[in-house]
Amino acid sequence: KHKDFVKDRINHLKENDVIVFKQSSSEYSFAKVEEVKNDTVYFVNSNYSLNQIPSLTDYIDGIEEKEDFFSEEVYLYSQKEIDSLNSIGEIDIFELKE
């Protein structure tokens, strides 16, 4: 069920979604969606990588609270670029409620 959510959500990202990218067999990085306008996704990258994908609870209880976990610099990708990244690697998405 979660895989279906990720597959659908990658095409419909929303503000505060956190995308987890598999960088290697034991390294994951993160990007938090700041805004979505038309075909452009604005996000901030993590300043850290982890050796496993945390659970949503671990993320909310620990990682998200680190003040400098995400950079302040905002980057952008087109939806087409996001789709391309999705096709070449493992991606997970946390849906955060605020």
Side-chain angles (χ1 to χ4, degrees):
K1 186 175 181 177
H2 183 70
K3 284 185 180 188
D4 291 338
F5 164 78
V6 171
K7 187 177 180 178
D8 179 63
R9 191 55 163 259
I10 200 71
N11 296 310
H12 303 96
L13 291 168
K14 298 184 185 308
E15 184 178 326
N16 292 318
D17 282 348
V18 175
I19 306 168
V20 184
F21 297 98
K22 186 172 185 177
Q23 300 293 324
S24 68
S25 62
S26 62
E27 187 175 20
Y28 299 86
S29 65
F30 303 80
K32 185 174 181 181
V33 176
E34 294 288 305
E35 184 177 10
V36 179
K37 285 187 179 177
N38 301 320
D39 190 32
T40 305
V41 180
Y42 298 84
F43 63 92
V44 290
N45 285 324
S46 60
N47 290 318
Y48 302 95
S49 59
L50 299 176
N51 60 2
Q52 65 183 27
I53 295 177
S55 68
L56 179 57
T57 302
D58 288 344
Y59 177 83
I60 291 171
D61 290 345
I63 296 167
E64 187 181 36
E65 294 190 10
K66 286 187 179 190
E67 237 177 80
D68 67 339
F69 188 78
F70 290 104
S71 69
E72 292 185 23
E73 190 169 346
V74 177
Y75 297 88
L76 59 100
Y77 272 113
S78 69
Q79 184 63 53
K80 191 174 187 176
E81 290 170 310
I82 295 285
D83 294 343
S84 176
L85 288 172
N86 184 33
S87 70
I88 61 172
E90 278 189 45
I91 290 182
D92 199 356
I93 297 175
F94 294 144
E95 178 182 25
L96 302 178
K97 309 282 188 201
E98 290 202 11

